[in-house]
């Protein structure tokens, strides 16, 4: 595969150059599972295994734009006509484009749920048939394709010589009666009975899969593409054939500069990829009932986008624990910044140096084939050293405080994770539908009210030293009794504060009392339950 070991501006040296980015949805039916309900309505479930690629490449896109400052124009090609769509549409008595549009809308909803940014442009195959026909005609005119008596058009692989196979060095051997050679592949398919078709110079028919993507990307970007992405299973024959088609059309040496291929998602203990055909998949909606989109992003960040990745509850829990550790550090650091956490003297010079080194290491990792795993490790190392100095002491030692360095660390960490699509700056409470509802301000007000109530309940006046010397023994006993009765009177207020803390803990809100003040943090209830069970 043609890939950069270190990121560089493959499209030129101009700082204002635009990165041309093409992403393929592929055959729409692969991304959905259609189930007919008892009420004869159709339920479409987007498959989770396919979407891991979209999240991984969304992370890369965000790094290119938000971290390196590149202007990215992203086109997403949508195959809204193919054999499976036609077959299903005929069964449902609906047009294939209409059925594909239903699939497409479900796909977009799931992409939004996973926080994948929409492309700059969506391009549907059925809206570009004239351009596809024109593209095929030019390849024929350039001597690299031929039409058959049956109305099919094939790319002539032999005419392309040793230039075919430059991406994978693989060749197709699929037999077909009207091909001239077994390696040739279809550009235009003659229509079959009861099939949707378009008129063409070769008769009624529809495009082949590979030519669709070549035409769509060329319609927007012309003869040069910077980055083409897709799953590793698309490298051959799909991407290989795209290269041949475009370079034969433009008569150029190199059409695309970089192909980025994502690895498969594997079920734990099984070497087979997660797929619909093997029935070892989970739908997006079911997945998001158990885990959040941020947790899956962290799962993706922990491995290289090209790597085959093992998926399991354990690996997702690892990602969840990392997010918890990051959020916990930010909460503790904020507590220190606000003066609510008393620590030993902070080695500010050490932390400034650690922060500077982390920035260098993260940038180097992102520039090295988008090595997000190495970047996350650098962040966790910074957090480790930050936590080491946030050790609470019982008494104020009167040493100078260093809140600014922790504020800088928090700002860097939050901005970095925001860059890759993970939200750490705002604490979130998740509703039953798992849509983020920002209640941070509400909880802040509730905790502040509880602080006032708790401090009032505990604020029983003590006898002064002067009073204690002049008071008789009887008066002292009387004063002590008054304080006891006052404490007894206010005991329900303290009990209510404790009850509120306990009740909020059941919703994942953990209140920590720190002398005359209190702080709160959102905790993972499932993680806390697992920890409690281990302690037993």
């Amino acid at each position: 595969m043609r890939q950069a070991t270190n990121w560089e501006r493959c499209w030129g040296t101009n700082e204002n150059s635009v990165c041309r980015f093409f992403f393929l949805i592929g055959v729409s039916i692969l991304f959905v599972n259609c189930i007919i309900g008892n009420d004869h309505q159709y339920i479409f479930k987007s498959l989770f295994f396919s979407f891991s690629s979209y999240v991984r490449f969304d992370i890369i896109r965000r790094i290119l734009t938000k971290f390196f400052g590149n202007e990215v124009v992203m086109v997403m090609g949508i195959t809204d006509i193919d054999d499976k769509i036609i077959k299903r549409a005929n069964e449902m008595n609906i047009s294939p484009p209409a059925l594909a549009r239903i699939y497409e809308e479900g796909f977009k909803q799931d992409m939004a749920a996973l926080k994948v940014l929409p492309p700059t442009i969506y391009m549907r195959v059925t809206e570009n048939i004239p351009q596809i026909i024109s593209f095929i005609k030019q390849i024929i005119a350039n001597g690299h394709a031929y039409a058959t008596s049956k109305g099919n058009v094939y790319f002539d692989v032999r005419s392309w010589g040793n230039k075919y196979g430059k991406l994978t060095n693989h060749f197709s051997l699929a037999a077909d009666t009207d091909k001239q050679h077994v390696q040739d592949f279809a550009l235009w398919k003659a229509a079959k009975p009861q099939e949707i078709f378009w008129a063409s110079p070769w008769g009624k028919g529809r495009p082949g899969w590979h030519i669709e993507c070549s035409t769509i990307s060329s319609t927007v970007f012309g003869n040069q593409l910077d980055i083409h992405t897709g799953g590793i299973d698309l490298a051959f024959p799909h991407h290989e054939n795209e290269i041949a088609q475009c370079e034969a059309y433009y008569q150029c040496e190199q059409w695309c500069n970089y192909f980025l291929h994502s690895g498969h998602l594997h079920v734990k203990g099984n070497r087979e990829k997660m797929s619909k055909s093997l029935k070892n998949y989970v739908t997006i909606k079911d997945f998001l009932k158990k885990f959040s989109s941020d947790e899956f992003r962290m799962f993706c960040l922990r491995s290289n986008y090209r790597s085959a990745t093992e998926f399991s509850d354990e690996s997702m829990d690892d990602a969840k624990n990392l997010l918890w550790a990051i959020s916990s550090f930010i909460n503790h650091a904020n507590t220190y910044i606000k003066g609510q956490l008393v620590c030993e003297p902070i080695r500010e010079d050490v932390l400034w140096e650690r922060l500077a080194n982390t920035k260098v290491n993260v940038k180097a990792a992102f520039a090295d084939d988008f090595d997000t795993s190495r970047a996350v490790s650098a962040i966790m190392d910074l957090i480790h050293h930050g936590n080491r100095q946030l050790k609470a002491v019982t008494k104020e030692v009167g040493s100078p405080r260093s809140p600014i360095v922790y504020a800088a660390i928090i700002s860097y960490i939050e901005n970095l994770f925001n860059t890759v699509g993970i939200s750490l700056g705002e604490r979130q409470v998740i509703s039953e539908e798992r849509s983020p509802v920002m209640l941070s301000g509400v909880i802040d007000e509730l905790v502040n009210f509880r602080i006032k109530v708790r401090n009032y309940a505990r604020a029983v006046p003590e006898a002064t030293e002067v009073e204690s010397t002049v008071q008789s023994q009887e008066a002292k006993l009387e004063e002590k009794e008054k304080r006891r009765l006052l404490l007894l009177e206010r005991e329900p207020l303290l009990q209510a504060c404790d009850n509120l803390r306990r009740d909020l803990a059941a919703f994942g809100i953990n209140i920590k009392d720190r002398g005359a003040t209190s702080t709160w943090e959102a905790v993972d209830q499932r993680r806390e339950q697992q920890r409690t069970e281990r302690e037993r």
Side-chain angles (χ1 to χ4, degrees):
M1 283 180 283
R2 290 186 301 231
Q3 293 177 326
T5 301
N6 293 295
W7 174 252
E8 58 187 16
R9 294 180 183 275
C10 58
W11 53 92
T13 58
N14 187 348
E15 290 292 321
N16 296 319
S17 295
V18 175
C19 176
R20 293 155 289 195
F21 198 173
F22 183 69
F23 201 116
L24 170 70
I25 284 186
V27 185
S28 299
I29 195 78
L30 291 179
F31 298 107
V32 296
N33 178 28
C34 179
I35 302 173
I36 301 178
N38 293 330
D39 58 352
H40 302 292
Q41 293 185 357
Y42 300 95
I43 304 169
F44 303 95
K45 295 185 176 180
S46 298
L47 302 185
F48 172 66
F49 75 91
S50 302
F51 284 79
S52 62
S53 290
Y54 293 96
V55 174
R56 286 172 169 176
F57 290 128
D58 181 70
I59 291 169
I60 289 177
R61 181 187 178 190
R62 289 170 182 265
I63 291 172
L64 284 171
T65 56
K66 297 184 178 183
F67 192 87
F68 287 112
N70 296 306
E71 188 70 33
V72 173
V73 174
M74 177 179 174
V75 172
M76 181 173 284
I78 301 177
T79 297
D80 55 352
I81 186 70
D82 81 326
D83 293 338
K84 294 177 181 179
I85 294 176
I86 292 170
K87 181 177 181 294
R88 189 65 179 130
N90 287 339
E91 294 171 354
M92 297 168 59
N93 194 27
I94 185 174
S95 73
L99 177 62
R101 190 63 62 89
I102 297 173
Y103 292 158
E104 181 186 327
E105 289 308 311
F107 166 83
K108 289 177 180 177
Q109 289 175 14
D110 283 329
M111 293 279 273
L114 291 172
K115 301 204 296 188
V116 174
L117 298 173
T120 312
I121 310 164
Y122 289 105
M123 296 285 281
R124 300 181 187 91
V125 170
T126 56
E127 296 173 354
N128 288 273
I129 298 299
Q131 293 90 329
I132 292 172
I133 291 173
S134 177
F135 205 91
I136 295 172
K137 288 170 66 177
Q138 186 60 49
I139 295 176
I140 293 174
N142 289 343
H144 298 297
Y146 58 89
T148 70
S149 58
K150 293 183 178 182
N152 295 309
V153 179
Y154 293 98
F155 187 92
D156 187 353
V157 173
R158 287 192 179 183
S159 73
W160 200 233
N162 59 10
K163 289 186 285 187
Y164 185 86
K166 62 169 64 176
L167 185 66
T168 64
N169 200 31
H170 291 166
F171 293 86
S172 175
L173 297 177
D176 199 299
T177 53
D178 65 342
K179 282 184 181 181
Q180 290 182 4
H181 312 292
V182 292
Q183 299 99 326
D184 298 345
F185 56 88
L187 303 181
W188 186 264
K189 297 180 178 181
K192 299 175 183 176
Q194 297 183 330
E195 234 183 38
I196 187 173
F197 63 82
W198 288 266
S200 79
W202 317 287
K204 298 174 181 178
R206 58 184 175 86
W209 177 28
H210 314 302
I211 196 66
E212 301 167 356
C213 300
S214 293
T215 304
I216 284 173
S217 60
S218 295
T219 299
V220 179
F221 298 127
N223 66 351
Q224 187 68 61
L225 183 63
D226 292 314
I227 301 174
H228 195 319
T229 64
I232 187 61
D233 52 333
L234 295 179
F236 181 83
H238 187 57
H239 292 166
E240 196 71 78
N241 291 347
E242 280 190 80
I243 292 171
Q245 291 166 161
C246 287
E247 293 180 1
Y249 177 89
Y250 289 111
Q251 297 290 282
C252 63
E253 289 298 318
Q254 180 166 301
W255 162 64
C256 180
N257 291 329
Y258 291 83
F259 277 87
L260 307 187
H261 293 116
S262 63
H264 289 311
L265 210 59
H266 295 262
V267 181
K268 183 179 180 180
N270 191 336
R271 291 185 179 180
E272 295 174 322
K273 72 172 182 177
M274 192 180 286
S275 72
K276 177 190 171 191
S277 60
L278 296 174
K279 298 181 179 180
N280 59 353
Y281 63 87
V282 61
T283 67
I284 296 293
K285 289 180 175 62
D286 287 342
F287 174 82
L288 290 177
K289 291 176 183 177
K290 194 171 186 179
F291 303 103
S292 72
S293 59
D294 281 347
E295 288 161 1
F296 183 63
R297 276 185 181 259
M298 180 57 78
F299 169 85
C300 292
L301 287 169
R302 295 184 68 230
S303 61
N304 187 280
Y305 71 92
R306 291 182 287 107
S307 303
T309 309
E310 184 177 87
F311 175 81
S312 66
D313 282 358
E314 291 80 5
S315 58
M316 283 302 304
D317 285 339
D318 289 342
K320 182 184 291 188
N321 291 340
L322 273 179
L323 278 178
W324 180 88
I326 296 166
S327 296
S328 179
F329 166 74
I330 290 174
N331 287 330
H332 291 158
N334 272 321
T335 302
Y336 172 76
I337 291 169
K338 295 174 182 178
Q340 298 168 351
L341 180 62
V342 180
C343 298
E344 295 179 353
I346 299 296
R347 289 287 309 278
E348 189 172 345
D349 58 331
V350 172
L351 292 181
W352 281 120
E353 183 179 0
R354 289 284 178 183
L355 177 58
N357 289 339
T358 300
K359 291 180 178 180
V360 171
N361 293 336
V362 167
K363 185 174 183 179
F366 282 164
D368 185 7
D369 198 17
F370 310 103
D371 193 345
T372 55
S373 177
R374 204 167 92 212
V376 170
S377 295
I379 293 295
M380 297 312 296
D381 184 66
L382 174 63
I383 288 173
H384 168 72
H385 287 281
N387 274 328
R388 287 180 63 183
Q389 298 204 44
L390 285 179
K391 295 180 179 179
V393 295
T394 55
K395 293 183 179 181
E396 178 70 60
V397 293
S399 58
R401 299 179 66 257
S402 305
I404 186 63
V405 66
Y406 277 99
I409 291 172
I410 290 174
S411 177
Y412 175 71
I413 292 174
E414 288 182 345
N415 288 335
L416 182 70
F417 280 102
N418 182 63
T419 293
V420 295
I422 293 178
S423 304
L424 295 174
E426 294 279 0
R427 287 171 285 193
Q428 298 180 355
V429 178
I430 305 301
S431 68
E432 289 182 1
E433 292 78 20
R434 297 197 66 81
S435 58
V437 183
M438 302 312 303
L439 295 178
S440 177
V442 176
I443 297 174
D444 280 339
E445 290 300 316
L446 180 61
V447 171
N448 287 336
F449 177 75
R450 179 182 174 275
I451 290 171
K452 293 176 182 178
V453 172
R454 184 170 175 271
N455 287 342
Y456 171 76
R458 299 172 65 223
V460 178
E462 296 288 342
T464 64
E465 186 176 345
V466 175
E467 289 174 341
S468 64
T469 58
V470 299
Q471 282 181 328
S472 65
Q473 185 67 25
E474 182 179 348
K476 289 180 181 179
L477 290 175
E478 183 179 347
E479 187 66 29
K480 184 177 181 180
E481 179 63 15
K482 284 182 180 180
R483 289 197 298 271
R484 188 187 71 81
L485 292 174
L486 193 57
L487 281 173
L488 190 62
E489 180 183 325
R490 297 181 182 181
E491 177 64 27
L493 295 177
L494 288 174
Q495 188 62 49
C497 289
D498 289 342
N499 290 343
L500 178 61
R501 181 177 58 186
R502 180 198 63 203
D503 293 343
L504 288 179
F507 294 97
I509 305 300
N510 186 17
I511 297 178
K512 293 182 179 180
D513 292 322
R514 304 175 185 274
T517 188
S518 302
T519 60
W520 71 272
E521 63 180 354
V523 298
D524 191 307
Q525 293 170 272
R526 187 165 175 258
R527 184 180 184 278
E528 289 296 305
Q529 184 179 1
Q530 290 174 345
R531 188 179 68 177
T532 302
E533 290 175 353
R534 286 196 299 267
E535 290 175 352
R536 290 176 184 171

